[in-house]
Amino acid sequence: MPGFEIINKEEKNAILNLFKEGGVLFAHGWENLRKKFHVREFEKNFSKKMRCKHSLAVTSGTAAIKIGLKALGVKAGDEVITQSFNFIATIEAILDIGAKPVMVNIDENLNMDLDELKKKITKKTKVLLPVHMLGNPCEMDKIIQIANKYKLKILEDNCESIGSKYKSKYLGTLGDVGVFSFDFGKTITTGEGGMIVTNKKKYFKFCNEYHDHGHQLLKKFSRGNDRAKFPGFNYRMTEMQGVIGKIQLKKLDNIIVENKKRYEALKNLIFKKFDLRTQPKFSEESYDVLIIKNIKNVKIKRKILKLLTQNNFGTKNLPGAIRWHCAYYWDHAIGNVLSKKNYKTKTILENSIAIPMLLKKPVNSYKTLGKLLSKI
Ligand SMILES: Cc1ncc(COP(=O)(O)O)c(C=O)c1O
């Protein structure tokens, strides 16, 4: 479920207190006007939660991908391999650097087809960009093996699966750099916002400087007299986002517990009737959605969708927002020839329905839904 569902007094009071304590300040500086540095605290708490060394808050998940790719040395003309079940943001970030997105179809479990991935690696490939879609981990061990073999870096897009784990490690912390989104639809939200995580100091240093106009933040200089080694940009998170992010992060574990209750209640009633998306071995998902796959019969698909609409569950991305999540439709970004090579992905996604786990819906309503679905 998205974090916006559980925004309550805590977030509201924190915003009021922020205005009492200094107001809409930058994430840095103006020590004389403020008592706290909320964005810096959010980053510290994030690193502790994700068990990683460095976290950097930025304006969005899309910005986080772009900054992360630049930190990994991606330059104009390089190739970045990602998957065709995705969100357009990764492609936009790659294109914004002048690099080339290379798309890989998905397999029956809606994860990157690793045989196709190996075939797409060329001398120009710099980074593998797996995307953990809708709460579900990619096959990270195998992706890491491939990256090591071909000496490639990994940027994990974990915008949709915060809190999911692979071999007990939080997703986003297994590759060289990981990125998160806190936009309105995400598991925890700051309205808009993103986070970059890494265990390597050199990547953090680059991201930190680049996201803040190149500021080196050298202690011996005041901010106004600080130095830069390269031109950056402004991708800084605001204190208002930081203050909300700290509270939402504390709610993450409970969101996943609540998601799981609803997911299990539904799954137990329909797993014999429908094909459900499964998770890779040794992984734990955040139970954001339950995906029914391989629905080849159009009438059955219509019946499921009707039931979900009538009972106010709706769907998440599949099939309603398929155009934004499937490279087959991205002629405007990658051209008609490349987009149409993602036909296999389109077919798999067209036969899938993602049912969202919503807090406003009690667990019992998922049991009722399960009973109705099992009678279709
Ligand atoms: C997989 C994925 N990557 C990146 C993003 C971009 O995040 P943001 O909306 O914060 O820019 C999203 C957001 O929907 C996403 O789902």
Side-chain angles (χ1 to χ4, degrees):
M1 83 198 54
F4 78 80
E5 282 192 286
I6 47 162
I7 286 196
N8 59 21
K9 261 199 227 150
E10 256 193 290
E11 283 88 344
K12 288 174 195 163
N13 286 340
I15 285 285
L16 287 177
N17 286 337
L18 175 80
F19 283 97
K20 287 180 203 154
E21 286 169 358
V24 288
L25 293 165
F26 283 156
H28 53 73
W30 280 273
E31 285 81 356
N32 55 329
L33 292 179
R34 70 203 299 162
K35 292 193 181 111
K36 286 197 166 168
F37 291 84
H38 294 288
V39 172
R40 298 289 96 90
E41 279 181 28
F42 181 28
E43 290 163 344
K44 220 169 107 197
N45 300 351
F46 203 82
S47 291
K48 196 169 168 210
K49 175 77 192 155
M50 294 297 146
R51 302 194 292 266
C52 66
K53 286 195 180 142
H54 310 283
S55 297
L56 180 76
V58 292
T59 45
S60 70
T62 313
I65 301 167
K66 178 181 165 186
I67 301 165
L69 287 174
K70 283 179 86 78
L72 295 177
V74 176
K75 298 206 167 48
D78 289 339
E79 291 176 1
V80 176
I81 305 186
T82 187
Q83 61 200 56
S84 49
F85 175 33
N86 199 333
F87 178 61
I88 188 75
T90 51
I91 280 55
E92 290 167 332
I94 296 165
L95 291 174
D96 210 39
I97 298 175
K100 185 181 164 200
V102 176
M103 314 305 301
V104 174
N105 276 291
I106 52 169
D107 60 20
E108 283 301 317
N109 267 328
L110 281 61
N111 267 331
M112 213 187 239
D113 178 331
L114 298 177
D115 289 329
E116 192 177 315
L117 165 64
K118 284 182 212 155
K119 288 182 196 146
K120 298 252 164 111
I121 294 172
T122 72
K123 280 185 183 153
K124 289 187 178 171
T125 310
K126 263 270 164 64
V127 168
L128 302 183
L129 204 170
V131 188
H132 308 294
M133 291 298 284
L134 291 169
N136 205 346
C138 296
E139 300 264 7
M140 283 312 290
D141 261 4
K142 292 178 189 160
I143 292 171
I144 291 168
Q145 254 174 31
I146 296 171
N148 288 343
K149 182 169 173 194
Y150 295 94
K151 298 192 169 36
L152 303 170
K153 302 282 181 239
I154 297 177
L155 185 145
E156 284 178 84
D157 178 338
N158 195 28
C159 290
E160 294 195 3
S161 306
I162 184 169
S164 298
K165 292 178 190 156
Y166 184 85
K167 289 199 168 168
S168 305
K169 287 187 177 166
Y170 280 107
L171 296 186
T173 65
L174 291 114
D176 297 283
V177 168
V179 301
F180 297 79
S181 163
F182 309 123
D183 76 24
F184 162 77
K186 296 298 183 285
T187 309
I188 65 170
T189 183
T190 56
E192 295 277 8
M195 192 73 83
I196 304 170
V197 301
T198 181
N199 285 314
K200 295 217 173 95
K201 199 172 170 192
K202 67 172 179 178
Y203 299 142
F204 174 74
K205 189 170 179 302
F206 175 90
C207 295
N208 196 21
E209 291 175 24
Y210 182 75
H211 99 295
D212 188 12
H213 300 294
H215 267 279
Q216 281 189 284
L217 304 168
L218 298 171
K219 290 215 170 77
K220 59 185 168 180
F221 298 123
S222 65
R223 184 164 171 87
N225 202 19
D226 194 18
R227 309 295 152 96
K229 284 206 169 134
F230 50 81
F233 216 83
N234 178 0
Y235 289 114
R236 295 187 306 255
M237 179 177 267
T238 68
E239 286 290 271
M240 289 172 286
Q241 291 164 304
V243 91
I244 293 176
K246 282 194 298 179
I247 296 166
Q248 287 267 306
L249 184 62
K250 282 197 274 175
K251 296 181 175 181
L252 176 62
D253 287 346
N254 191 45
I255 291 175
I256 296 174
V257 167
E258 289 298 324
N259 281 354
K260 189 172 179 183
K261 283 186 203 162
R262 288 158 178 76
Y263 183 101
E264 297 288 352
L266 181 55
K267 182 185 160 189
N268 288 340
L269 287 157
I270 63 168
F271 78 98
K272 285 189 186 143
K273 168 115 186 162
F274 299 108
D275 265 4
L276 305 181
R277 182 186 186 174
T278 56
Q279 291 73 46
K281 266 190 195 161
F282 316 117
S283 71
E284 251 172 85
E285 62 164 318
S286 58
Y287 304 96
D288 191 40
V289 298
L290 180 147
I291 298 183
I292 303 180
K293 58 178 196 170
N294 292 332
I295 319 164
K296 297 206 171 106
N297 183 318
V298 181
K299 275 190 193 158
I300 294 206
K301 188 176 167 186
R302 274 203 210 116
K303 277 187 187 171
I304 299 174
L305 289 174
K306 197 171 163 197
L307 249 179
L308 292 171
T309 311
Q310 276 172 346
N311 293 284
N312 296 319
F313 286 90
T315 57
K316 187 165 180 182
N317 300 350
L318 302 176
I322 192 171
R323 300 189 77 86
W324 290 95
H325 295 88
C326 174
Y328 180 87
Y329 296 101
W330 298 344
D331 301 8
H332 69 290
I334 55 176
N336 180 274
V337 175
L338 285 183
S339 64
K340 296 303 165 263
K341 290 195 171 154
N342 301 292
Y343 183 77
K344 182 182 158 200
T345 300
K346 173 184 169 264
T347 313
I348 293 171
L349 296 182
E350 269 175 355
N351 295 335
S352 304
I353 293 177
I355 305 173
M357 301 301 125
L358 302 165
L359 184 64
K360 67 179 179 195
K361 294 267 185 201
V363 179
N364 268 342
S365 70
Y366 282 85
K367 285 189 185 155
T368 311
L369 177 66
K371 283 179 196 151
L372 292 170
L373 285 170
S374 62
K375 285 185 198 138
I376 278 180

